[in-house]
Amino acid sequence: MNNNYKWYSFFMWLIFLTPISIITFLFYYASTGGFGDMPDLEVLENPKTNLASEIFTSDGKTLAKYYFNDNRTPVTFDELPTHLVDALIATEDIRFYSHSGIDFKRTFGAALKFGKDGGGSTITQQLAKLLFTGEGSKDILERLTQKFKEYIIAVRLERNYTKEEIITQYLNLYDFGNNGDGIRSAARIYFGKEPIDLDINESAILVGMLKNSSLYNPRPHRNPIGVKNRRNVVLSQMSKYQYLEKNLVDSLRLEPLNLNYTPESHREGLATYFREFLRSHMKKWINDENNRKPDGSKYNLNTDGLKIYTTINYTMQQMAELAVEQHMPRLQKEFFEQNKTLDDSIAPFRELTSGAVDTLLRISMRRSERWRKMKYDLKKDNEEIENSFFEPVDMTVFSWEGDIDTIMTPLDSMKYYKSFFRPGMMSMDPTNGHIKAWVGGMNYRHFQYDMVKKGRRQIGSTFKPFVYAAAIDQLKLSPCDTFPDSQFCIEKNKFGNIEQWCPKNSGDKYGRTRTLKNALANSVNTVTARLMDRIGPQTVVKLAKDLGIEQRILPVPSIALGTPDLSVYEMVAAYSTFANKGVYTQPVFIEKIEDKNGTTLFKHQPLTKDVLSEEAAYVTVNLLEGVTMAGSGTRLRTTGADEYNRAYQNIVTGYPYEFTNPIAGKTGTTQNQSDGWFIGMVPNLVTGVWVGAEDRAIHFEDIAYGQGASMALPIWGVYMKSIYQDSTLMISNESFDRPKKLTIELDCNKFVIDSIGSGKTTDQEILDIDF
């Protein structure tokens, strides 16, 4: 009997101790790396994860991110709402705060049920899986060995991190789908919010995704019933464990999902053109040997979590893009209407023969991305590539009413896209150079060429203030000084490079004697030519260079009328010098760059240069104020429609603008109405707008629609009306600062009295002056 008892006792202990011993051995074996490499203490304390670099606006909002596959930006525990953490614990790991990485009760329960009611993984184990073990294998043996590794890593994580840090890391790492890497990206993409601003309903949806982010993805039209059911499970768990009152849960279960799906991609969102320009700049910064990590390696823009603080103002950028979106469709609609009168063989081009159009399109073919890919990636010959442009294919094309799925030949699509006018717009604070808004086009997915910095177009009469400013600075001219408005020629070889230059006024119209203020306000070419004759092209070129113009400008008299091709970026910076009392300030778009730990890697240092005297700059501004008071910019002041503005009203939104504050500005229109410009200034904001088509042979038939006052000025007007409705932006509506010592007379009434009194001017001469 005793022997039987002993054997019975031995077998019972054997049965009891054997699995414990095996499990103990397996844990030990896993901890020594028997099932594969285990992370050491240093790796556990500093797990490597890819972090997206983040772009911030001057008002502290996230503009966008740069990343390859991981759109991840970590948050701290304090940035998580309490109900999100409660939902996570109630649904995923109710004993989270009492276990040390493994919930043995839950694990054994899951094992007994063979995982039918779900696995027994704790939040810590799930973090271990995300950090170090990856997705589970379908092979049962590999799955078991992976589990042992997860157990060991989970225990080690508990020793190295607080509970709050484990929760934070888990939510920062989880992939919520649709580039929603981590809780911050997910909150922004699915609800357009920061995590701290999530409500209970939204938190429950995101926690519900932790079971299967693909199956329970709330993206529109995916699985709304399944997502809602899973959300309700999370809410029920919160009620079960007394995180929420039952009556509140009953109410929440009836709520719709209330999504605000806002995908984050490189071709969508706010300031797409600026972001792409910034990316190019950051690549150059990263490649600079002076900007290296402590170990000497390069930073990676897509994975190192850099923080780039820009000068862009989020609200002003929104207003700028909205102004473009309001004006451009109406302008385009009018252009399409006028195109109906053109022959199909040349539309949308004007003044070109069908042969010239054919040549232009063939040149465009060879410059296209389609040609490049077929030539160099697919190794096709030229004839095969050219033939492909005449074969109809399925494609999605841009329209202002939304993208259109259609069938079209690539050649026809080229003509279609060429028929669209493109905008370029930049807004800058002249006092410090901070760029506040940047609109390089109307739709980055379809039109990727940036017309702020990269694009350069003929600037027309917007160049004339450089001529006037140079004359004022050198000759101390007054806005009230007078010049004859009659044909004028700069004679042969006076400046060593022309025979004779005789500019004409628009419409061949000439008048009487004009003051400088009247001449600039009405963009009179003959008076500008007379000024150029007195100071010389070299003087004007030097001033333009000092004002920040980067492009080479030939020192010929014709530049007075705006023949150079310049960018919106250059022109806004140059005009800002006038508003900034003659001091040029280099445009700024980055205030500072930090690494992922907040260490400052770059801080902007202002670059300024004295270009004009304060007096000359102020007098130039005074002349430019005349443009909006009595010249081509008076539409900014108009309070109602008249005969002159009826055509204008067909293509603008927000008109009449009815501005009453001081505004200095200049319109510009190039030959054949190919380019329309307007640059407008108030004391602390200078904004330049250009509108034109890709090819200069595409333009309006007449100047009523094709001038800068119709094409570009309305965008400025809509933008500034929006700005002045938001007092928090603190954009000035006051007068420009007047210099304390002003020797040049600006009051033309007093100027006239002094002229008569001195005997320099007769009464009849005064009567003949257009003031």
Side-chain angles (χ1 to χ4, degrees), residues 245-258:
E245 296 291 336
K246 186 178 183 303
N247 59 348
L248 176 58
V249 169
D250 291 339
S251 174
L252 290 171
R253 286 166 63 92
L254 299 176
E255 284 193 10
L257 295 178
N258 292 327

Side-chain angles (χ1 to χ4, degrees), residues 468-477 543 546-547 576-584 609-621 737-744:
Y468 280 70
I472 291 165
D473 193 46
Q474 285 210 349
L475 307 176
K476 301 299 179 183
L477 296 178
L543 175 61
D546 289 342
L547 291 172
S576 292
T577 307
F578 302 141
N580 195 36
K581 304 177 182 179
V583 179
Y584 168 79
K609 178 173 62 175
D610 290 336
V611 175
L612 291 167
S613 68
E614 184 178 353
E615 182 178 52
Y618 182 75
V619 173
T620 303
V621 169
D737 287 344
R738 183 185 179 97
K740 292 180 180 178
K741 294 182 179 180
L742 187 62
T743 61
I744 296 175

